Amino acid sequence: MNRINKKLSEDKKLLSIYFTAGYPSLNDTVSIIEDLEKSGVDMIEIGLPFSDPLADGPTIQESSTKALKNGMTTEVLFDQLKDIRKTVNIPLIIMGYFNPMFQYGVEAFCKKCQEIGIDGLIIPDLPVDVYHEEYQAIFEKYGLINVFLITPQTSDERIRYIDSISNGFIYMVSSASTTGAQSGFGDEQTQYFERIDKMKLNNPQIIGFGISNNETFTQATQYAKGAIIGSAFVKHVTQEGTKSLNKFIDSILN
C-alpha cells in the first residue's frame, strides 16, 4: 500500500508541510525532512524550484529563486534524497511544475521517484485530461499517486472527474489566489468547504493555501482530512533558520 493511502486511513487530522528543496541552503533538504517527521508532521511536500512558478505567492517564489541560485536541480534533489528512506517513514510528495519533469523524461522521473521512495507528485500545471490520456499509466506503473488541485471555481462536474481518476487525496485550494498565509477564512471559503464536503467524494480532501496557524488549521480540518502549510513555514525558515522547526509545528498542532 502506498504510504499516502496508509496515512489517509489513520483516524486523525493530517498536517502536511511544504518546503522548497535547497532552501535556505542547498544541503538543508534532508535535515528539514528528518526534523519535520520528528516534530510530528504527517506528510511532506518537497518543492522542486522552477523559474516560472505560476501558482506560488511571493514567499515561495523568493525561496525558489534562492534555491535555484544555490544550485538546486532535479538531479541534485534526487541525489540528496537517494538514502532518505533509511531515516524517514512518512509520505513524501514532490511538488513542482511539469517542465522540469518533461525535460528529465516523464518515465525516467517517475522511475527515479520510485527508486528513492517518493510516494506521489503534485504538478499544478499538468492538465487532468493530459495526465489521464498520456501519463496515468506511467505513474501507476511506478506506484506514484498524482494529486490534483481544485479551487472554488472548479465545477462540480470537473471535481467528479478529478475524483474518478484520483487514488489518493484531492488538494483543495482554499481560494482563487496564489499561495500565501492569511489570518482566517471568510464566509465564501467556508461555503466552498461545505459544498465540497457535501459532495461525498471518494478521495479525501486536504486544504492548502492560506493555512498559517492553529486557528486556520483547525478551521480547515473541520471540513477536510487535513491541511497543508507552505508559505508560513517557508517564512518561518527564512526568519528563524532551520533550528526551531519543532516550535513552528507545535504552534500549529497545539
Side-chain angles (χ1 to χ4, degrees):
M1 188 192 243
N2 186 295
R3 290 180 198 88
I4 295 171
N5 296 122
K6 211 169 173 180
K7 183 56 78 174
L8 290 166
S9 69
E10 290 180 14
D11 186 21
K12 62 176 292 203
K13 297 297 186 180
L14 306 181
L15 172 61
S16 181
I17 293 287
Y18 167 96
F19 78 99
T20 306
Y23 180 83
S25 298
L26 182 63
N27 294 314
D28 285 332
T29 311
V30 170
S31 61
I32 287 176
I33 293 170
E34 290 171 344
D35 288 350
L36 284 173
E37 180 173 43
K38 285 178 199 145
S39 302
V41 167
D42 297 292
M43 250 186 305
I44 298 172
E45 292 171 21
I46 304 158
L48 179 59
F50 181 53
S51 55
D52 190 18
L54 305 173
D56 297 323
T59 302
I60 291 175
Q61 277 196 24
E62 281 162 25
S63 68
S64 291
T65 302
K66 177 79 164 47
L68 291 169
K69 280 184 185 156
N70 288 344
M72 180 49 71
T73 64
T74 306
E75 280 290 4
V76 169
L77 179 61
F78 283 149
D79 190 54
Q80 287 179 349
L81 297 178
K82 65 181 187 293
D83 295 320
I84 197 70
R85 287 302 173 193
K86 290 179 180 171
T87 54
V88 172
N89 296 309
I90 59 173
L92 299 176
I93 297 168
I94 289 180
M95 182 167 186
Y97 293 89
F98 190 57
N99 190 292
M101 297 174 195
F102 188 73
Q103 299 268 341
Y104 193 89
V106 177
E107 182 148 8
F109 191 95
C110 291
K111 185 170 187 278
K112 198 73 183 164
C113 285
Q114 184 190 48
E115 282 169 15
I116 60 182
I118 295 297
D119 304 290
L121 297 171
I122 302 173
I123 314 163
D125 61 339
L126 176 60
V128 187
D129 318 68
V130 175
Y131 165 76
H132 186 42
E133 287 158 24
E134 296 182 34
Y135 301 113
Q136 187 167 359
I138 298 172
F139 277 58
E140 288 172 355
K141 178 180 172 183
Y142 295 103
L144 291 170
I145 284 173
N146 194 23
V147 177
F148 294 104
L149 284 72
I150 62 170
T151 74
Q153 281 67 42
T154 310
S155 69
D156 285 10
E157 185 189 8
R158 188 82 172 157
I159 291 168
R160 297 246 179 242
Y161 173 56
I162 287 170
D163 190 41
S164 74
I165 63 164
S166 296
N167 60 343
F169 66 91
I170 291 172
Y171 189 134
M172 200 169 145
V173 176
S174 67
S175 63
S177 65
T178 55
T179 56
Q182 59 188 55
S183 56
F185 294 116
D187 292 345
E188 205 178 315
Q189 284 162 313
T190 306
Q191 283 162 15
Y192 159 59
F193 297 162
E194 286 171 350
R195 171 169 78 90
I196 304 301
D197 189 39
K198 284 184 182 132
M199 288 180 78
K200 302 287 176 234
L201 301 172
N202 296 319
N203 292 273
Q205 300 89 58
I206 297 186
I207 295 176
F209 289 43
I211 320 275
S212 60
N213 51 27
N214 178 265
E215 182 201 355
T216 42
F217 177 76
T218 306
Q219 264 184 303
T221 52
Q222 277 177 350
Y223 301 98
K225 178 64 181 172
I228 299 158
I229 297 181
S231 296
F233 178 72
V234 172
K235 203 170 272 181
H236 174 84
V237 169
T238 303
Q239 291 165 353
E240 308 285 332
T242 57
K243 296 289 174 243
S244 59
L245 303 189
N246 59 321
K247 256 196 263 176
F248 178 84
I249 302 305
D250 280 350
S251 75
I252 303 298
L253 294 175
N254 303 307

